[in-house]
Amino acid sequence: MIERDVHEGRTVLDLSRWQFYTADNQADLLARVASEACSGGMPLKQYLLIHPDNRLTAEEQQQIYDWAKAERRRIRHQRSENLNKPAVNSRTERP
């Protein structure tokens, strides 16, 4: 059961491949993480049946939400900075 949940989870979010996601995908995934944490969807209910003491506290839920929100803001800011940079001609100019 746990192996299946891990496999399914990685089809949605695989943190070992984070750098390969686009900025838009990263922002969307962070929004989902924040939503799941605050709605009580994290950790999964079936995991809590086995480990009932691992329920997130309200403070931990808020910490995850705040982290995800800050990361989304950072990604969006970085993306907008990159869009506003002038293009560099790699043949004649150096970055």
Side-chain angles (χ1 to χ4, degrees), residues 49-81:
L49 291 173
I50 300 167
H51 304 282
D53 295 337
N54 290 344
R55 183 176 310 278
L56 293 176
T57 66
E59 182 181 346
E60 290 168 330
Q61 289 175 329
Q62 189 64 47
Q63 287 173 338
I64 292 170
Y65 177 83
D66 291 344
W67 167 80
K69 185 176 175 182
E71 279 298 299
R72 286 184 73 205
R73 194 176 313 121
R74 183 189 62 76
I75 289 167
R76 287 182 174 154
H77 179 73
Q78 186 176 29
R79 184 179 55 198
S80 68
E81 280 184 344

Side-chain angles (χ1 to χ4, degrees), residues 18-37:
W18 185 255
Q19 72 274 16
F20 300 113
Y21 293 125
T22 66
D24 287 337
N25 285 344
Q26 289 176 347
D28 290 344
L29 289 166
L30 287 165
R32 291 178 68 183
V33 167
S35 176
E36 286 293 316

Side-chain angles (χ1 to χ4, degrees), residues 4-46:
R4 184 200 71 218
D5 290 340
V6 169
H7 177 73
E8 286 179 16
R10 285 186 180 153
T11 64
V12 176
L13 171 60
D14 187 346
L15 292 176
S16 67
R17 301 191 48 77
W18 185 255
Q19 72 274 16
F20 300 113
Y21 293 125
T22 66
D24 287 337
N25 285 344
Q26 289 176 347
D28 290 344
L29 289 166
L30 287 165
R32 291 178 68 183
V33 167
S35 176
E36 286 293 316
C38 285
S39 70
M42 186 186 294
L44 295 173
K45 303 278 187 254
Q46 57 267 34

